[in-house]
Amino acid sequence: DAGITQSPRHKVTETGTPVTLRCHQTENHRYMYWYRQDPGHGLRLIHYSYGVKDTDKGEVSDGYSVSRSKTEDFLLTLESATSSQTSVYFCAISVQGYEQYFGPGTRLTVT
Amino acid sequence: KQEVTQIPAALSVPEGENLVLNCSFTDSAIYNLQWFRQDPGKGLTSLLLIQSSQREQTSGRLNASLDKSSGRSTLYIAASQPGDSATYLCAGLSGGGADGLTFGKGTHLIIQP
């Protein structure tokens, strides 16, 4: 257990509404990541962070933004949710840039 | 761009058998390779990490190997048990510590009692 929590764990929202998912870690790891998991696609990287206010895009970043104002929190925002963003979202941390540990996930449904 | 493939997509074996799960990757400049287990509706549990300078790692009944020249990794599970039933994912890290993992689509394993 790498001390990673995600909130909310489940959310149903309507198309066009903004949504923010939160990832919180307790061990001050520098690297944090957001992935989404979809049937047929597996897990894909959305955004990642290598420090406070230092973020970069991953493979499927369109429609998503992130922020990291504190070491322990990494926020993922869907500015205007679409049905294609229905997915399970996982946050991860990297220990010294090597092994990655994952949070429990957030199941998001956009209706 | 790194691509990771896992074969087979699904596997069902009787309890007690030894088995091998396969993972192949396209970029031989892989930094490390990590194996995960995922139970239905749950998150990912890290099983083994093999760094590029290593050839294999062992944890209990699990042994993972890495052959960068052939672009392959295998996960060997000895004396399989029904509790081993899960989806197994391999993922490669091609860049430095800041980069995310590239995942295969997984092997869904069922161990029959």
Side-chain angles (χ1 to χ4, degrees):
Chain A
D1 183 2
I4 306 168
T5 57
Q6 293 185 233
S7 59
R9 295 292 315 280
H10 301 271
K11 186 172 182 67
V12 179
T13 192
E14 294 185 348
T15 298
T17 60
V19 176
T20 296
L21 308 183
R22 179 184 184 234
C23 176
H24 179 78
Q25 57 145 330
T26 59
E27 299 182 2
N28 292 319
H29 294 295
R30 178 181 175 189
Y31 300 111
M32 299 185 74
Y33 311 83
W34 278 107
Y35 296 85
R36 60 180 287 177
Q37 185 175 34
D38 304 289
H41 290 281
L43 280 113
R44 293 175 292 173
L45 181 68
I46 306 172
H47 280 280
Y48 61 96
S49 171
Y50 43 96
V52 172
K53 297 185 180 180
D54 291 323
T55 64
D56 209 344
K57 297 178 180 180
E59 178 186 358
V60 290
S61 60
D62 288 348
Y64 301 95
S65 63
V66 291
S67 65
R68 193 168 179 201
S69 59
K70 299 184 292 185
T71 300
E72 59 265 36
D73 289 326
F74 192 30
L75 304 181
L76 177 71
T77 297
L78 291 65
E79 301 291 348
S80 177
T82 68
S83 59
S84 65
Q85 293 176 313
T86 292
S87 187
V88 180
Y89 291 85
F90 288 101
C91 173
I93 60 93
S94 177
V95 177
Q96 297 183 346
Y98 294 101
E99 191 164 6
Q100 291 195 16
Y101 293 92
F102 283 70
T106 293
R107 185 172 296 275
L108 176 68
T109 302
V110 183
T111 61
Chain B
K1 176 189 172 186
Q2 179 75 270
E3 294 182 4
V4 178
T5 304
Q6 292 187 247
I7 295 174
L11 182 64
S12 180
V13 300
E15 179 179 4
E17 284 200 3
N18 303 323
L19 57 98
V20 175
L21 306 181
N22 296 295
C23 173
S24 61
F25 48 91
T26 55
D27 184 358
S28 61
I30 197 164
Y31 197 71
N32 64 38
L33 190 130
Q34 196 167 353
W35 282 92
F36 296 88
R37 168 188 174 135
Q38 186 175 30
D39 294 290
K42 303 294 185 181
L44 281 70
T45 300
S46 179
L47 297 174
L48 289 165
L49 171 74
I50 312 175
Q51 297 186 28
S52 60
S53 58
Q54 300 171 324
R55 294 296 300 272
E56 66 179 75
Q57 284 286 334
T58 298
S59 176
R61 295 183 292 107
L62 305 179
N63 176 275
S65 66
L66 176 63
D67 184 343
K68 291 177 58 178
S69 62
S70 67
R72 298 181 68 177
S73 176
T74 60
L75 180 66
Y76 175 83
I77 302 176
S80 58
Q81 303 171 358
D84 294 330
S85 298
T87 296
Y88 291 79
L89 299 162
C90 73
L93 183 70
S94 295
D99 291 355
L101 293 168
T102 300
F103 280 84
K105 295 181 180 179
T107 294
H108 181 53
L109 176 65
I110 296 174
I111 307 299
Q112 306 157 9

